[in-house]
Amino acid sequence: MTQTQRERYARHIALKEIGEEGQERLLRAKVIVIGAGGLGSAALLYLAAAGVGTLGIADADQVDLSNLQRQIIHATSDIGKNKVRSAQETLTAINPDVIIQPYVTYVSEKNILQLIRDYDFVIDATDNFASKFLINDACVVVKKPFSHAGILGFEGQIMTYVPGMGACYRCIFQSPPEDVLTCKEVGIIGAMAGVMGTLQATEAIKYLTGAGELLTGKMLTYDARTMTFRKISLPSHDPNCPVCGVHPSIQLSSDDISPCK
């Protein structure tokens, strides 16, 4: 590390659980955040500030006025701009040493494997069940650790999957539910996205540095109305799971995808 880096990351280096060796791991690490909305905003801001060497950002949406109540990586002047581009500008201003790999694309079965293949950790910051199951399935198939989070109203949940350690997202929830209300319909307290997205960044940093205990085999839930956190032990790995079970039936194809210039 340079002297400037030692000064920038001094509070990390002071932690016995991270130290200089752990910070160097962060500087070499690659994390992709799928979704540059509420969850992704908080996760990306703290990962960039932490010095994660390469950050991938995947999102095809543009910033609109209703996003700004919770998607704090974007500003009023960014309305109409692609979220990936807006996020890239904000993160570069925070920490110019971080390499940003922008993917202006919707995540699909055709590109998900190529999208995550070069990254050490994946953050699911999406807002719909179809994408969450797809990210889970892809990470299980190519053995990538990832953090899942979901938010609605005043409530949030988070879990971390590490290959070979506990159940995957599909083991727990099996398949996307039907007729689920969305944040647009129910509403969401903006700070909830910040709480859960920051926890996702924390899980990524812990995984990359080896510090602390991850939320593997556990679901952490949060109710902002009562300021109540609960850590729930999840059922063990399901041998009949269609993606990580004994006889997996879910397969994914892949097309090549490159970062946008």
Side-chain angles (χ1 to χ4, degrees), residues 23 28-30 37 43 47 51 56 61 75 83 101 111 116 119 122 129 135 140 154 180 192 208-209 226 237-238:
Q23 186 60 50
R28 295 191 298 268
K30 297 181 178 182
L47 291 172
D61 287 340
K83 289 183 179 180
Q101 301 279 29
N111 65 24
I116 67 175
Y119 291 91
V122 179
F129 283 106
I135 292 168
V140 171
F154 282 80
V180 176
M192 173 60 67
L208 295 167
T209 61
T226 58
H237 164 72
D238 181 2

Side-chain angles (χ1 to χ4, degrees), residues 2-238:
T2 66
Q3 185 57 39
T4 299
Q5 288 174 322
R6 288 190 175 89
E7 183 175 352
R8 180 185 285 270
Y9 307 118
R11 300 303 184 271
H12 268 178
I13 295 170
L15 291 168
K16 67 180 187 300
E17 294 90 347
I18 296 182
E20 189 162 319
E21 181 181 350
Q23 186 60 50
E24 288 177 344
R25 290 180 185 174
L26 291 176
L27 292 169
R28 295 191 298 268
K30 297 181 178 182
V31 175
I32 184 167
V33 178
I34 302 177
L39 292 168
S41 289
L44 284 163
L45 289 169
Y46 275 103
L47 291 172
V52 172
T54 300
L55 286 175
I57 314 171
D59 200 311
D61 287 340
Q62 295 179 331
V63 179
D64 68 49
L65 185 60
S66 68
N67 298 150
L68 303 183
Q69 168 251 12
R70 65 203 175 281
Q71 300 181 17
I72 58 172
I73 205 167
H74 312 299
T76 303
S77 59
D78 295 318
I79 291 173
K81 189 181 300 183
N82 186 274
K83 289 183 179 180
V84 167
R85 299 300 188 192
S86 171
Q88 182 177 21
E89 292 171 4
T90 302
L91 298 176
T92 299
I94 289 172
N95 191 347
D97 290 339
V98 175
I99 298 170
I100 306 298
Q101 301 279 29
Y103 303 92
V104 183
T105 183
Y106 290 109
V107 177
S108 70
E109 290 185 7
K110 291 186 176 181
N111 65 24
I112 182 68
L113 295 182
Q114 295 296 325
L115 196 64
I116 67 175
R117 65 180 177 180
D118 295 328
Y119 291 91
D120 304 308
F121 194 90
V122 179
I123 289 185
D124 165 20
T126 61
D127 62 358
N128 64 86
F129 283 106
S131 295
K132 292 183 180 302
F133 277 91
L134 178 61
I135 292 168
N136 172 83
D137 296 347
C139 287
V140 171
V141 168
V142 296
K143 295 180 170 58
K144 295 284 185 181
F146 77 95
S147 170
H148 149 79
I151 52 177
L152 189 68
F154 282 80
E155 299 178 352
Q157 64 182 35
I158 177 175
M159 63 174 280
T160 297
Y161 170 80
V162 176
M165 296 177 62
C168 76
Y169 185 78
R170 193 176 284 274
C171 286
I172 307 306
F173 297 105
Q174 298 182 356
S175 62
E178 298 180 358
D179 301 324
V180 176
L181 295 176
T182 66
C183 288
K184 184 176 181 179
E185 296 167 313
V186 175
I188 182 169
I189 183 170
M192 173 60 67
V195 172
M196 304 312 292
T198 299
L199 289 176
Q200 288 186 285
T202 304
E203 285 289 275
I205 291 168
K206 286 160 53 184
Y207 174 81
L208 295 167
T209 61
E213 178 182 314
L214 296 169
L215 287 169
T216 51
K218 298 179 177 64
M219 180 79 75
L220 183 68
T221 66
Y222 172 52
D223 188 334
R225 288 165 295 200
T226 58
M227 284 297 178
T228 303
F229 282 93
R230 293 181 59 215
K231 187 185 291 186
I232 302 166
S233 294
L234 298 174
S236 60
H237 164 72
D238 181 2

